[in-house]
Short mmCIF file of all heavy atoms in Angstrom, two decimals:
data_model
loop_
_atom_site.label_atom_id
_atom_site.label_comp_id
_atom_site.label_asym_id
_atom_site.label_seq_id
_atom_site.Cartn_x
_atom_site.Cartn_y
_atom_site.Cartn_z
N ARG A 1 -12.54 1.71 36.38
CA ARG A 1 -13.89 1.95 36.50
C ARG A 1 -14.42 1.13 37.74
O ARG A 1 -14.46 0.04 37.99
CB ARG A 1 -14.61 1.34 35.25
CG ARG A 1 -16.15 1.50 35.26
CD ARG A 1 -16.79 1.24 34.06
NE ARG A 1 -16.50 -0.24 33.63
CZ ARG A 1 -16.43 -0.65 32.27
NH1 ARG A 1 -16.84 0.33 31.35
NH2 ARG A 1 -16.08 -1.78 32.08
N LEU A 2 -14.91 2.13 38.79
CA LEU A 2 -15.26 1.54 40.00
C LEU A 2 -16.76 1.11 40.02
O LEU A 2 -17.55 1.75 39.36
CB LEU A 2 -15.22 2.72 41.03
CG LEU A 2 -13.90 3.49 41.23
CD1 LEU A 2 -13.98 4.70 42.14
CD2 LEU A 2 -12.87 2.54 41.78
N HIS A 3 -16.97 -0.05 40.65
CA HIS A 3 -18.36 -0.54 40.77
C HIS A 3 -18.86 0.05 41.98
O HIS A 3 -18.24 0.14 43.12
CB HIS A 3 -18.32 -2.10 40.84
CG HIS A 3 -17.69 -2.73 39.60
ND1 HIS A 3 -18.51 -3.15 38.53
CD2 HIS A 3 -16.51 -3.02 39.13
CE1 HIS A 3 -17.78 -3.58 37.56
NE2 HIS A 3 -16.50 -3.54 38.01
N ASN A 4 -20.15 0.52 41.92
CA ASN A 4 -20.57 1.40 43.09
C ASN A 4 -22.08 1.09 43.25
O ASN A 4 -22.65 0.56 42.39
CB ASN A 4 -20.28 2.82 42.85
CG ASN A 4 -20.71 3.23 41.56
OD1 ASN A 4 -20.35 2.73 40.42
ND2 ASN A 4 -21.65 4.25 41.39
N ALA A 5 -22.57 1.52 44.30
CA ALA A 5 -23.99 1.64 44.59
C ALA A 5 -24.63 2.98 44.24
O ALA A 5 -24.04 4.07 44.47
CB ALA A 5 -24.27 1.36 46.02
N ALA A 6 -25.78 3.05 43.50
CA ALA A 6 -26.32 4.24 43.04
C ALA A 6 -26.50 5.34 44.13
O ALA A 6 -26.37 6.53 43.93
CB ALA A 6 -27.69 3.97 42.38
N GLN A 7 -26.77 4.83 45.37
CA GLN A 7 -27.05 5.86 46.39
C GLN A 7 -25.77 6.71 46.80
O GLN A 7 -25.86 7.79 47.39
CB GLN A 7 -27.68 5.29 47.62
CG GLN A 7 -26.84 4.31 48.43
CD GLN A 7 -26.99 2.92 47.90
OE1 GLN A 7 -27.42 2.66 46.69
NE2 GLN A 7 -26.74 1.95 48.74
N ILE A 8 -24.59 6.30 46.48
CA ILE A 8 -23.43 6.97 46.72
C ILE A 8 -22.62 7.58 45.65
O ILE A 8 -21.45 7.95 45.67
CB ILE A 8 -22.48 6.16 47.65
CG1 ILE A 8 -22.17 4.86 46.93
CG2 ILE A 8 -23.02 5.95 49.02
CD1 ILE A 8 -21.08 4.14 47.67
N ASP A 9 -23.33 7.50 44.37
CA ASP A 9 -22.71 8.10 43.23
C ASP A 9 -22.11 9.43 43.28
O ASP A 9 -20.90 9.69 42.99
CB ASP A 9 -23.61 8.02 42.03
CG ASP A 9 -23.65 6.63 41.30
OD1 ASP A 9 -23.04 5.79 41.68
OD2 ASP A 9 -24.50 6.61 40.19
N GLN A 10 -22.81 10.30 43.84
CA GLN A 10 -22.33 11.76 44.03
C GLN A 10 -21.01 11.76 44.85
O GLN A 10 -20.12 12.56 44.51
CB GLN A 10 -23.34 12.61 44.61
CG GLN A 10 -23.08 14.01 44.60
CD GLN A 10 -24.11 14.95 45.31
OE1 GLN A 10 -25.37 14.47 45.41
NE2 GLN A 10 -23.80 16.15 45.75
N VAL A 11 -21.09 11.05 45.92
CA VAL A 11 -19.98 11.05 46.77
C VAL A 11 -18.68 10.51 46.09
O VAL A 11 -17.62 10.97 46.12
CB VAL A 11 -20.19 10.34 48.12
CG1 VAL A 11 -19.08 10.10 48.96
CG2 VAL A 11 -21.37 10.96 48.86
N LEU A 12 -18.85 9.29 45.44
CA LEU A 12 -17.72 8.64 44.79
C LEU A 12 -17.28 9.49 43.53
O LEU A 12 -16.06 9.47 43.13
CB LEU A 12 -18.09 7.22 44.27
CG LEU A 12 -18.20 6.26 45.48
CD1 LEU A 12 -18.54 4.97 44.93
CD2 LEU A 12 -17.00 6.19 46.36
N ARG A 13 -18.20 10.21 42.85
CA ARG A 13 -17.90 11.06 41.75
C ARG A 13 -16.97 12.20 42.18
O ARG A 13 -15.98 12.45 41.51
CB ARG A 13 -19.17 11.59 41.20
CG ARG A 13 -18.88 12.25 39.72
CD ARG A 13 -20.13 12.48 38.95
NE ARG A 13 -20.71 11.27 38.50
CZ ARG A 13 -21.86 10.68 38.88
NH1 ARG A 13 -22.54 11.29 39.77
NH2 ARG A 13 -22.35 9.51 38.34
N LYS A 14 -17.21 12.71 43.40
CA LYS A 14 -16.24 13.71 43.98
C LYS A 14 -14.88 13.18 44.17
O LYS A 14 -13.88 13.84 43.82
CB LYS A 14 -16.88 14.27 45.31
CG LYS A 14 -16.07 14.99 46.24
CD LYS A 14 -15.74 16.34 45.66
CE LYS A 14 -14.93 17.22 46.67
NZ LYS A 14 -14.42 18.43 46.10
N LEU A 15 -14.75 11.96 44.73
CA LEU A 15 -13.54 11.27 44.82
C LEU A 15 -12.88 11.11 43.60
O LEU A 15 -11.63 11.37 43.39
CB LEU A 15 -13.69 10.02 45.67
CG LEU A 15 -12.44 9.20 45.98
CD1 LEU A 15 -11.45 10.05 46.75
CD2 LEU A 15 -12.72 7.92 46.63
N CYS A 16 -13.57 10.60 42.63
CA CYS A 16 -12.89 10.42 41.22
C CYS A 16 -12.37 11.74 40.74
O CYS A 16 -11.29 11.77 40.03
CB CYS A 16 -13.98 9.82 40.20
SG CYS A 16 -14.40 8.11 40.64
N ASP A 17 -13.18 12.86 40.79
CA ASP A 17 -12.71 14.09 40.31
C ASP A 17 -11.45 14.50 41.08
O ASP A 17 -10.51 15.07 40.32
CB ASP A 17 -13.84 15.21 40.47
CG ASP A 17 -15.01 14.98 39.71
OD1 ASP A 17 -14.94 14.20 38.69
OD2 ASP A 17 -16.05 15.60 39.99
N GLU A 18 -11.33 14.30 42.32
CA GLU A 18 -10.07 14.76 43.08
C GLU A 18 -8.97 13.87 42.64
O GLU A 18 -7.88 14.41 42.41
CB GLU A 18 -10.35 14.59 44.53
CG GLU A 18 -11.26 15.64 45.18
CD GLU A 18 -10.79 16.99 45.20
OE1 GLU A 18 -9.60 17.15 45.29
OE2 GLU A 18 -11.53 17.95 45.18
N LEU A 19 -9.13 12.55 42.58
CA LEU A 19 -8.04 11.77 42.06
C LEU A 19 -7.59 12.04 40.62
O LEU A 19 -6.40 12.08 40.30
CB LEU A 19 -8.42 10.31 42.22
CG LEU A 19 -8.64 9.75 43.61
CD1 LEU A 19 -9.22 8.30 43.56
CD2 LEU A 19 -7.32 9.74 44.44
N ASN A 20 -8.59 12.27 39.73
CA ASN A 20 -8.25 12.58 38.33
C ASN A 20 -7.44 13.93 38.23
O ASN A 20 -6.64 14.03 37.45
CB ASN A 20 -9.53 12.67 37.51
CG ASN A 20 -10.09 11.35 37.24
OD1 ASN A 20 -9.52 10.32 37.43
ND2 ASN A 20 -11.41 11.33 37.03
N ALA A 21 -7.75 14.80 39.15
CA ALA A 21 -7.09 16.13 39.09
C ALA A 21 -5.53 16.01 39.46
O ALA A 21 -4.78 16.87 39.05
CB ALA A 21 -7.71 17.08 40.12
N THR A 22 -5.16 14.82 40.04
CA THR A 22 -3.74 14.75 40.34
C THR A 22 -2.98 14.26 39.13
O THR A 22 -1.71 14.44 39.07
CB THR A 22 -3.57 13.59 41.43
OG1 THR A 22 -3.92 12.51 40.92
CG2 THR A 22 -4.28 13.98 42.73
N GLU A 23 -3.60 13.86 38.09
CA GLU A 23 -2.99 13.40 36.76
C GLU A 23 -1.96 12.48 37.05
O GLU A 23 -0.78 12.58 36.43
CB GLU A 23 -2.49 14.60 36.00
CG GLU A 23 -3.64 15.56 35.57
CD GLU A 23 -3.22 16.54 34.62
OE1 GLU A 23 -2.07 16.70 34.27
OE2 GLU A 23 -4.21 17.44 34.33
N THR A 24 -2.03 11.47 37.96
CA THR A 24 -1.04 10.49 38.36
C THR A 24 -0.89 9.51 37.18
O THR A 24 -1.76 9.04 36.61
CB THR A 24 -1.53 9.78 39.61
OG1 THR A 24 -1.87 10.69 40.62
CG2 THR A 24 -0.68 8.69 40.13
N LEU A 25 0.51 9.24 36.98
CA LEU A 25 0.83 8.07 36.04
C LEU A 25 0.88 6.90 36.75
O LEU A 25 1.47 6.75 37.91
CB LEU A 25 2.21 8.46 35.42
CG LEU A 25 2.24 9.77 34.59
CD1 LEU A 25 3.61 9.94 33.99
CD2 LEU A 25 1.26 9.77 33.51
N PHE A 26 0.44 5.70 36.12
CA PHE A 26 0.61 4.37 36.60
C PHE A 26 2.15 4.08 36.68
O PHE A 26 2.93 4.42 35.73
CB PHE A 26 -0.18 3.50 35.77
CG PHE A 26 -0.24 2.08 36.38
CD1 PHE A 26 -1.10 1.83 37.47
CD2 PHE A 26 0.60 0.95 35.92
CE1 PHE A 26 -1.08 0.53 38.01
CE2 PHE A 26 0.56 -0.15 36.49
CZ PHE A 26 -0.33 -0.45 37.53
N PRO A 27 2.64 3.65 37.72
CA PRO A 27 4.10 3.37 37.87
C PRO A 27 4.70 2.63 36.63
O PRO A 27 4.09 1.62 36.16
CB PRO A 27 4.16 2.50 39.22
CG PRO A 27 3.01 3.01 39.96
CD PRO A 27 1.89 3.24 39.02
N ARG A 28 5.84 3.02 36.20
CA ARG A 28 6.62 2.43 35.25
C ARG A 28 5.91 2.45 33.74
O ARG A 28 6.17 1.64 33.01
CB ARG A 28 7.05 1.04 35.54
CG ARG A 28 7.98 0.99 36.72
CD ARG A 28 8.47 -0.37 37.01
NE ARG A 28 9.39 -0.23 38.22
CZ ARG A 28 9.96 -1.39 38.70
NH1 ARG A 28 9.81 -2.54 38.12
NH2 ARG A 28 10.82 -1.29 39.76
N THR A 29 4.95 3.37 33.66
CA THR A 29 4.28 3.52 32.36
C THR A 29 4.10 4.98 32.04
O THR A 29 4.34 5.79 33.01
CB THR A 29 2.97 2.84 32.32
OG1 THR A 29 1.98 3.63 33.13
CG2 THR A 29 2.90 1.40 32.86
N SER A 30 3.50 5.26 30.97
CA SER A 30 3.27 6.67 30.61
C SER A 30 1.69 6.88 30.65
O SER A 30 1.18 7.73 30.11
CB SER A 30 3.80 7.03 29.18
OG SER A 30 3.26 6.10 28.23
N LEU A 31 0.88 5.87 31.21
CA LEU A 31 -0.38 5.86 31.31
C LEU A 31 -1.00 6.70 32.47
O LEU A 31 -0.62 6.43 33.58
CB LEU A 31 -0.97 4.44 31.39
CG LEU A 31 -0.69 3.53 30.25
CD1 LEU A 31 -1.29 2.10 30.44
CD2 LEU A 31 -1.11 4.01 28.92
N ARG A 32 -1.72 7.62 32.20
CA ARG A 32 -2.39 8.54 33.20
C ARG A 32 -3.61 7.72 33.75
O ARG A 32 -4.43 7.38 33.11
CB ARG A 32 -2.80 9.86 32.69
CG ARG A 32 -3.28 10.81 33.74
CD ARG A 32 -3.46 12.09 33.21
NE ARG A 32 -4.56 12.12 32.25
CZ ARG A 32 -5.81 12.15 32.38
NH1 ARG A 32 -6.35 12.27 33.61
NH2 ARG A 32 -6.78 12.10 31.30
N LEU A 33 -3.59 7.66 35.10
CA LEU A 33 -4.74 7.12 35.79
C LEU A 33 -6.01 7.93 35.65
O LEU A 33 -5.90 9.16 35.88
CB LEU A 33 -4.51 6.69 37.26
CG LEU A 33 -3.50 5.60 37.40
CD1 LEU A 33 -3.13 5.61 38.91
CD2 LEU A 33 -4.19 4.39 37.23
N PHE A 34 -7.11 7.33 35.29
CA PHE A 34 -8.38 8.12 35.21
C PHE A 34 -9.40 7.21 35.82
O PHE A 34 -9.61 6.00 35.61
CB PHE A 34 -8.71 8.27 33.68
CG PHE A 34 -9.78 9.20 33.40
CD1 PHE A 34 -9.80 10.51 33.79
CD2 PHE A 34 -11.09 8.57 33.10
CE1 PHE A 34 -10.94 11.36 33.45
CE2 PHE A 34 -12.21 9.45 32.88
CZ PHE A 34 -12.14 10.71 33.04
#
């Protein structure tokens, strides 16, 4: 959960969406990063 400034929410939300689409697993676990 990223702490952010309200004026850049839309920009950071785009980044979160792109990173979530990768469905990356945290190393040495079965936990998917979200």
Side-chain angles (χ1 to χ4, degrees):
R1 184 170 50 205
L2 305 171
H3 298 268
N4 54 302
Q7 65 269 25
I8 58 171
D9 273 2
Q10 181 179 344
V11 174
L12 291 180
R13 196 167 285 112
K14 166 71 173 168
L15 180 61
C16 288
D17 290 345
E18 291 288 334
L19 292 172
N20 290 336
T22 67
E23 298 187 1
T24 302
L25 295 180
F26 189 76
R28 297 185 179 181
T29 73
S30 59
L31 300 176
R32 186 176 58 86
L33 285 168
F34 187 75

